[in-house]
Amino acid sequence: MNTLFVILGPTGVGKTDLSLRLAQELQTPIISGDSRQIYRGLEIGTAAPAEKELKAVKHYFVGTHDVAEYFNASQFETEVMRILDEEIFPRTPNALLVGGSMMYIDAVCKGIDDIPNVDEEVRNSLHEQFLREGIDNIRMQLKMLDPAFYNEVDLKNSKRVIHAVEICLTAGVPYSSLRKNTVKNRPFRIVKIGLNRPREELYERINGRVDKMMAMGLEEEARRFYPQRELNSLNTVGYKELFKYFDGEWTYDYAVNMIKQDSRRYARKQLSWFNRDKDIAWFHPDDETAIMKLILESKG
């Protein structure tokens, strides 16, 4: 039976190195499940695979889209299912999805509700309103249009609040009425492998990775995109903190420390999300023997 292996875990845990070795063992390409690595030019800040790694193993969804392009988990689900059906499984019974973007992983493994595409005029109008007025009035719109979702959403998460209002205005019905949360059946087996480290070890790696990114030129990379800083694709850890430094709101040292802090916070959020999934088998990234044993026992 065809098998999709999913390598997931928090930022900085060590997914990339392990996934390259597993891809070569399984003789399969890698599908990147990172919602920011798809954008061209963000290589340093997203820790995208280097050119040498991309040459060693074929990757999907790395540097494939312009930062101004809109791309979401629903589109990712559709495109990954097509790639598996047309390009990977006809050649090999094993596929490999690697990443830490929770919604992207769930979109492939469980499916996304059939939510209508947002009307472009609605999106542009709300984006302009957000830039002009902030999030408060859009929150009030959500409360009127969909009080049920208003009561459950994280109101500090402007991206989710705005998206919900976009759907309400586009579909003409409350966003919550379209969210069925039904798990879709997949025509392949799914094996989820979670990577984690003791918290102190993970945080030390995250802090060290940020220092390495800065040494590699993250500041220059962020400056190239500073004129486009309002784009959703750039509302990303590593860039949004440096934009505040460029704006004169923060000092350089404070911005770098905030990148480390926000990266650690994001890692906690990822682990909280993944820990709800009882189908994940967890390993330390260095325990390759046990990971490979599971893969050999499970592969198609």
Side-chain angles (χ1 to χ4, degrees), residues 9-51:
T11 184
V13 76
K15 297 184 291 292
T16 299
D17 289 345
L18 178 63
S19 67
L20 288 164
R21 292 191 286 274
L22 295 181
Q24 290 168 331
E25 174 68 29
L26 293 168
Q27 296 186 312
T28 189
I30 291 173
I31 300 170
S32 171
D34 186 300
S35 65
R36 290 300 183 262
Q37 286 185 0
I38 68 168
Y39 294 112
R40 285 187 293 274
L42 306 186
E43 290 85 6
I44 298 174
T46 64
E51 187 176 348

Side-chain angles (χ1 to χ4, degrees), residues 37 63 69 98 103 142 152 163 175 181 234 256 262 271 284:
Q37 286 185 0
E69 289 184 66
V98 181
M103 287 292 291
L142 179 61
E152 69 177 74
H163 180 63
Y175 176 46
N181 294 320
L234 294 167
V256 172
D262 289 343
L271 286 168
H284 190 287

Side-chain angles (χ1 to χ4, degrees), residues 161-215:
V161 170
I162 293 170
H163 180 63
V165 174
E166 287 174 344
I167 296 297
C168 291
L169 295 175
T170 296
V173 296
Y175 176 46
S176 57
S177 70
L178 300 171
R179 298 171 73 235
K180 306 292 191 295
N181 294 320
T182 304
V183 176
K184 296 179 183 176
N185 290 323
R186 297 305 194 195
F188 47 81
R189 181 172 46 182
I190 298 173
V191 177
K192 299 177 187 173
I193 297 169
L195 304 181
N196 197 10
R197 297 174 184 268
R199 179 165 288 194
E200 278 191 23
E201 184 182 329
L202 178 63
Y203 285 2
E204 187 176 331
R205 283 178 59 91
I206 289 172
N207 292 341
R209 187 164 84 156
V210 172
D211 288 334
K212 184 179 177 182
M213 286 177 174
M214 297 308 300

Side-chain angles (χ1 to χ4, degrees), residues 1-147:
M1 184 178 186
N2 290 335
T3 303
L4 174 66
F5 291 97
V6 183
I7 308 297
L8 55 85
T11 184
V13 76
K15 297 184 291 292
T16 299
D17 289 345
L18 178 63
S19 67
L20 288 164
R21 292 191 286 274
L22 295 181
Q24 290 168 331
E25 174 68 29
L26 293 168
Q27 296 186 312
T28 189
I30 291 173
I31 300 170
S32 171
D34 186 300
S35 65
R36 290 300 183 262
Q37 286 185 0
I38 68 168
Y39 294 112
R40 285 187 293 274
L42 306 186
E43 290 85 6
I44 298 174
T46 64
E51 187 176 348
K52 179 180 69 174
E53 295 163 338
L54 294 174
K55 285 181 178 177
V57 175
K58 177 179 173 62
H59 284 67
Y60 291 93
F61 302 102
V62 174
T64 52
H65 291 65
D66 185 85
V67 292
E69 289 184 66
Y70 180 73
F71 194 80
N72 61 25
S74 179
Q75 292 168 288
F76 183 72
E77 174 195 7
T78 300
E79 189 59 15
V80 169
M81 293 301 291
R82 183 196 66 76
I83 289 168
L84 290 173
D85 182 52
E86 297 178 7
E87 300 182 26
I88 297 181
F89 285 144
R91 297 185 177 92
T92 173
N94 303 299
L96 190 59
L97 170 64
V98 181
S101 294
M102 298 86 76
M103 287 292 291
Y104 277 39
I105 299 295
D106 276 2
V108 174
C109 295
K110 301 177 181 179
I112 292 278
D113 290 325
D114 294 322
I115 305 294
N117 291 327
V118 174
D119 181 87
E120 202 61 34
E121 286 188 20
V122 169
R123 171 169 291 120
N124 292 337
S125 175
L126 283 171
H127 180 66
E128 289 172 10
Q129 182 182 351
F130 175 62
L131 295 180
R132 191 174 59 247
E133 305 170 2
I135 195 63
D136 288 345
N137 286 337
I138 299 177
R139 284 197 196 108
M140 291 303 100
Q141 281 179 265
L142 179 61
K143 189 173 186 179
M144 289 186 292
L145 293 167
D146 191 349

